[in-house]
Amino acid sequence: QKEVEQDPGPLSVPEGAIVSLNCTYSNSAFQYFMWYRQYSRKGPELLMYTYSSGNKEDGRFTAQVDKSSKYISLFIRDSQPSDSATYLCATLNQAGTALIFGKGTTLSVSS
Amino acid sequence: EPEVTQTPSHQVTQMGQEVILRCVPISNHLYFYWYRQILGQKVEFLVSFYNNEISEKSEIFDDQFSVERPDGSNFTLKIRSTKLEDSAMYFCASRAMTTQETQYFGPGTRLLVL
């Protein structure tokens, strides 16, 4: 069983739409969950992280973790063309020494 | 804002040649990482490094790979004898002592092995 699974999309939405990006993970011992944004041929950029279950909000972005279902979500409100990128979910391994990434979901926001 | 830098941005090499990829982590960070991303695939962990030694390495990080912190600012990844399948984007990352959840990535080095 893969440790972090993510639907690669692509996902296309009009400007202003609410976007929901999702991942599942396999190991219930994972505690830290991150969302990175990656533009084409660039390095991953940390958007936000959450610890254990719950929600975290940062401007138009909300990260949500449901540990009971091992489900990670990122919501983007009022999406903009500049949000067009690949979004990677990740978790920190139990030892805290390595990030485990999902495959990434490619998002395209059209104006 | 401080950032991780990597050189070169692109490298083309012949199979069997040695390559050294260089990284300058954020100056007050003490934990360093290398990841790679083969085109169209996941970002994969290679190795983590702290206090001048490897703290963890993945199955990918075999005897052909090595890492070094030759001075107070650089962190290098060496591939001794490159294979075609080593072609990938290689990312360096670093983090501060107290924030294990926030690794900052460099822009990457695109390695092409011919």
Side-chain angles (χ1 to χ4, degrees):
Chain A
Q1 185 180 13
K2 294 180 183 175
E3 292 192 283
V4 179
E5 298 217 44
Q6 185 175 9
D7 183 345
L11 182 62
S12 295
V13 300
E15 184 175 355
I18 296 173
V19 175
S20 171
L21 304 169
N22 307 293
C23 292
T24 57
Y25 63 95
S26 59
N27 190 333
S28 58
F30 294 151
Q31 296 279 26
Y32 286 97
F33 305 93
M34 298 78 172
W35 283 96
Y36 281 82
R37 179 172 60 196
Q38 186 177 27
Y39 293 111
S40 182
R41 297 177 181 257
K42 301 291 184 186
E45 171 197 7
L46 180 64
L47 280 176
M48 54 200 306
Y49 72 91
T50 52
Y51 175 73
S52 194
S53 278
N55 290 2
K56 188 172 186 178
E57 190 173 319
D58 184 2
R60 297 184 293 109
F61 297 85
T62 300
Q64 194 173 77
V65 176
D66 181 348
K67 292 203 77 182
S68 63
S69 58
K70 300 194 189 75
Y71 205 77
I72 314 164
S73 300
L74 179 71
F75 299 97
I76 308 173
R77 291 185 298 281
D78 187 24
S79 56
Q80 302 295 309
S82 58
D83 296 329
S84 298
T86 297
Y87 290 81
L88 310 173
C89 62
T91 183
L92 193 62
N93 69 354
Q94 286 180 260
T97 50
L99 291 173
I100 304 166
F101 283 89
K103 197 170 183 181
T105 300
T106 300
L107 171 67
S108 176
V109 182
S110 56
S111 56
Chain B
E1 186 175 325
E3 57 184 18
V4 177
T5 59
Q6 290 185 242
T7 54
S9 58
H10 294 79
Q11 177 137 10
V12 181
T13 190
Q14 296 292 323
M15 191 169 57
Q17 295 297 303
E18 175 183 287
V19 295
I20 297 176
L21 310 183
R22 291 183 168 77
C23 169
V24 179
I26 294 173
S27 63
N28 62 342
H29 286 185
L30 298 178
Y31 291 82
F32 314 118
Y33 307 85
W34 284 100
Y35 292 81
R36 79 170 185 192
Q37 187 176 31
I38 294 171
L39 191 63
Q41 297 188 25
K42 291 185 179 187
V43 176
E44 301 173 288
F45 168 74
L46 291 178
V47 65
S48 58
F49 189 87
Y50 169 71
N51 199 26
N52 280 321
E53 59 182 33
I54 291 173
S55 43
E56 184 163 348
K57 59 184 180 179
S58 72
E59 291 176 354
I60 303 166
F61 195 88
D62 62 21
D63 292 343
Q64 294 299 313
F65 291 89
S66 62
V67 289
E68 194 179 25
R69 186 150 164 86
D71 53 43
S73 58
N74 290 283
F75 180 52
T76 62
L77 174 69
K78 183 193 289 187
I79 310 175
R80 286 190 187 81
S81 179
T82 49
K83 305 183 188 77
L84 297 176
E85 55 265 37
D86 293 327
S87 296
M89 194 77 162
Y90 288 81
F91 295 109
C92 174
S94 69
R95 72 162 175 93
M97 170 75 88
T98 56
T99 55
Q100 62 176 334
E101 70 283 350
T102 50
Q103 293 184 23
Y104 295 91
F105 282 72
T109 292
R110 181 164 298 280
L111 176 66
L112 178 61
V113 182
L114 301 176

